[in-house]
Amino acid sequence: MATATKTARPRAMPVPKDAIAMLRADHKKVSGLFDEFEAARSANKKKQLVAQICEELSVHTALEEEIFYPAVKAAMRDKELVPEATVEHASVKDLIAQVKGVEPDGEMYDAKVKVMAEFVKHHVKEEQNEMFPKAQKTRLDMVALRDQMMQRKEEMLAESPA
């Protein structure tokens, strides 16, 4: 039995089946980063993780606010879930501004990241348990939304300083 040889190259991430799967994957990734932060002991590791958390959350919130939320709000004629989620994003963005690029300097830095993690956990729970199921019941084309969000994400990551 012959075995094919593969060239060593990074595995591409599988394409999520739709917009909600894409957002859920982002939620899972950020949750894992917060867990890593909680376990980190060195200031250098914490700073690296916070930079990654801030980047992931900044891109994710922009995708939701620019593409996903307007589509969901229109499709559901929503006057509650999307405005509340947008306010929650503002709180997270405020905390991002307080820790992004800042040296980890002890308990206040750690407290800000912990509160950010708690806000994000609450926000994710509401999205996944309330908004996503309702959005799935609409006539929204979740695959087309995914495609729009993936294109925008690529644009934002290309603009982002390395």
Side-chain angles (χ1 to χ4, degrees), residues 57-68:
L57 288 174
S58 295
V59 169
H60 180 83
T61 57
L63 291 175
E64 286 184 333
E65 290 174 6
E66 292 174 20
I67 300 167
F68 189 74

Side-chain angles (χ1 to χ4, degrees), residues 69-103:
Y69 288 172
V72 167
K73 185 176 174 90
M76 294 185 345
R77 293 182 179 89
D78 175 67
K79 292 182 182 345
E80 184 182 334
L81 291 174
V82 171
E84 184 179 326
T86 304
V87 171
E88 290 170 352
H89 278 188
S91 297
V92 170
K93 288 178 189 175
D94 183 49
L95 286 166
I96 287 171
Q98 292 180 47
V99 297
K100 188 174 182 178
V102 174
E103 289 299 320

